[in-house]
Amino acid sequence: METPPVNPMGEKDTSRPQQQWEKKPQENLDSTTQISQQPQDPPTEILELRVSQNPASQILKKPQGTEKLAAGLQGDSAKSYGSTSEIPEPLQASDLWYCPDGSFVKKILIRGHGLDKPKLGSCCRVLAFGFPFGSGLPEGWTEITVGLGPWREGTWGELIEKCLESMCQGEEAELQLSEHSESPFRLTLASFTQGRDSWELDASEKEALAREERARGTELFRAGNPEGAARCYGRALRLLLTLPPPGPPERTVLHANLAACQLLLGQPQLAAQSCDRALEREPYHLKALYRRGVAQAALGNLEKATADLRKVLEVDPKNRAAQEELGKVIIQGKKQDAGLAQGLRKMFG
């Protein structure tokens, strides 16, 4: 298997190709013969994930207007006071921080000190209240490391990490994720160790981190968690994309593995784009060709799907998965032609 290795967050694919992916995820991620390589830098937009499997990911998919979120925070500050004389002064603009992707607004309750903020590798001691079970962040005091650890694998982890990277030591803040939230989530950053920006890492350090993300991504994929795996593969790619071209060959595998996750998540358009990036670097990467064929079939692009699947069979005539998928595409094409013919007869009959 191609040992493992997206602003990143869809569309729903209910076609039969997706069901085949759900049956044998480990087999689908296995490596295949690699024939040639064509270096080319891929764009970063394919790292985007558009999933909505929990409340936080729904916010990332369809962010609310930041004005509404800010209004919600300002309104909450007055709810617990009995009279207008007890209502605190309105929040100043400097009391609010808007996440650039619109996923949340941070209300600063207690300002921190200093100018430094957590970076990659910073070990943070935090106090958390109100986060849901399964968010990856336990209630109360805990220590987490920016850029490392399984706590980052879910959408909540990404939100928490973004918030921490905006905080100073000693800062206490509320996160308003949605105007429908019952109450904001509270986070306090008590202390943190010195970290480094990604540009401060040398090539060997970036490659080592990317290998860790890739390995963790494959573990999650095998465990039936394509969403978490896709996040790992995306982070690995973002690290490697900063290296001088053509970059390490692992990028091809990462793009192909990301496509496997996106197919399982019902994102054929993104999967096709990920395969494009892999095939730009290695035109006859069989797994990327096969996955792009599956994605094109799901999108209704039957001619493109047929071309990709036939290329797979030219190199590997005994590839059963490609044979079965090509058979489905041919049947789908015949049905499509029959429907078109019937429509024409009605029109001109």
Side-chain angles (χ1 to χ4, degrees):
M1 111 156 245
E2 297 170 344
T3 28
V6 126
N7 262 0
M9 312 296 139
E11 43 188 322
K12 183 70 176 175
D13 180 5
T14 57
S15 62
R16 293 181 61 186
Q18 183 181 343
Q19 298 175 359
Q20 178 179 344
W21 283 90
E22 294 172 348
K23 292 179 181 178
K24 298 180 180 180
Q26 181 175 352
E27 179 181 340
N28 289 329
L29 198 59
D30 287 342
S31 61
T32 55
T33 306
Q34 300 180 356
I35 298 176
S36 62
Q37 183 170 348
Q38 177 181 337
Q40 184 169 339
D41 288 335
T44 57
E45 61 266 21
I46 57 90
L47 305 185
E48 203 176 318
L49 289 177
R50 300 172 184 170
V51 293
S52 55
Q53 298 182 3
N54 57 49
S57 60
Q58 177 66 21
I59 295 161
L60 294 176
K61 173 185 171 185
K62 247 181 126 179
Q64 305 291 331
T66 51
E67 295 84 358
K68 293 182 179 180
L69 298 180
L73 282 172
Q74 293 170 339
D76 288 342
S77 64
K79 285 179 182 177
S80 59
Y81 294 87
S83 65
T84 54
S85 62
E86 295 174 310
I87 297 177
E89 295 182 2
L91 290 172
Q92 303 298 315
S94 59
D95 293 323
L96 300 176
W97 181 81
Y98 300 82
C99 186
D101 64 9
S103 55
F104 67 90
V105 174
K106 181 184 72 172
K107 171 187 173 183
I108 301 174
L109 303 177
I110 299 177
R111 292 193 173 279
H113 50 84
L115 299 176
D116 291 338
K117 296 177 174 63
K119 299 178 181 179
L120 179 65
S122 292
C123 181
C124 304
R125 180 164 174 76
V126 300
L127 178 64
F129 285 112
F131 288 91
F133 178 78
S135 66
L137 193 64
E139 194 87 350
W141 287 104
T142 188
E143 290 187 356
I144 55 179
T145 302
V146 175
L148 299 172
W151 70 275
R152 309 166 61 234
E153 289 160 8
T155 304
W156 286 99
E158 288 195 351
L159 291 169
I160 295 165
E161 192 166 57
K162 289 174 187 176
C163 183
L164 287 174
E165 290 174 341
S166 74
M167 299 176 75
C168 297
Q169 183 168 326
E171 181 177 319
E172 181 178 346
E174 286 183 348
L175 280 67
Q176 183 74 47
L177 303 185
S178 165
E179 60 183 343
H180 302 297
S181 297
E182 294 182 1
S183 60
F185 308 100
R186 184 168 296 192
L187 193 65
T188 301
L189 176 60
S191 62
F192 62 91
T193 61
Q194 188 66 33
R196 291 190 291 174
D197 287 312
S198 60
W199 57 265
E200 297 178 281
L201 304 176
D202 59 34
S204 62
E205 290 174 313
K206 290 179 180 180
E207 290 180 9
L209 285 173
R211 283 193 296 271
E212 291 180 12
E213 292 284 5
R214 174 180 166 182
R216 180 57 180 161
T218 295
E219 290 178 9
L220 293 171
F221 190 91
R222 289 173 173 173
N225 183 1
E227 182 180 1
R231 296 186 191 285
C232 291
Y233 295 146
R235 287 194 291 261
L237 279 167
R238 285 193 291 272
L239 285 166
L240 297 181
L241 284 172
T242 62
L243 299 179
E250 287 80 3
R251 279 170 51 179
T252 304
V253 176
L254 284 166
H255 283 300
N257 286 354
L258 180 59
C261 298
Q262 290 164 333
L263 283 172
L264 281 173
L265 293 169
Q267 302 166 351
Q269 184 66 53
L270 292 177
Q273 291 173 0
S274 295
C275 292
D276 286 344
R277 304 292 80 78
L279 293 168
E280 285 169 1
R281 297 175 61 85
E282 189 175 329
Y284 276 88
H285 190 282
L286 296 190
K287 283 294 182 183
L289 279 170
Y290 172 75
R291 290 166 187 166
R292 190 171 69 176
V294 173
Q296 295 291 5
L299 293 168
N301 302 325
L302 303 186
E303 290 185 6
K304 292 181 178 179
T306 300
D308 283 338
L309 295 169
R310 289 193 185 280
K311 284 182 181 179
V312 175
L313 293 173
E314 286 174 7
V315 178
D316 183 11
K318 296 183 179 181
N319 190 311
R320 180 171 295 182
Q323 291 173 350
E324 293 177 356
E325 189 62 34
L326 181 59
K328 294 176 184 177
V329 171
I330 292 173
I331 293 173
Q332 188 177 349
K334 290 180 178 179
K335 291 180 178 179
Q336 192 176 82
D337 292 341
L340 178 61
Q342 185 178 1
L344 291 173
R345 283 195 298 270
K346 289 182 179 179
M347 184 179 299
F348 298 104

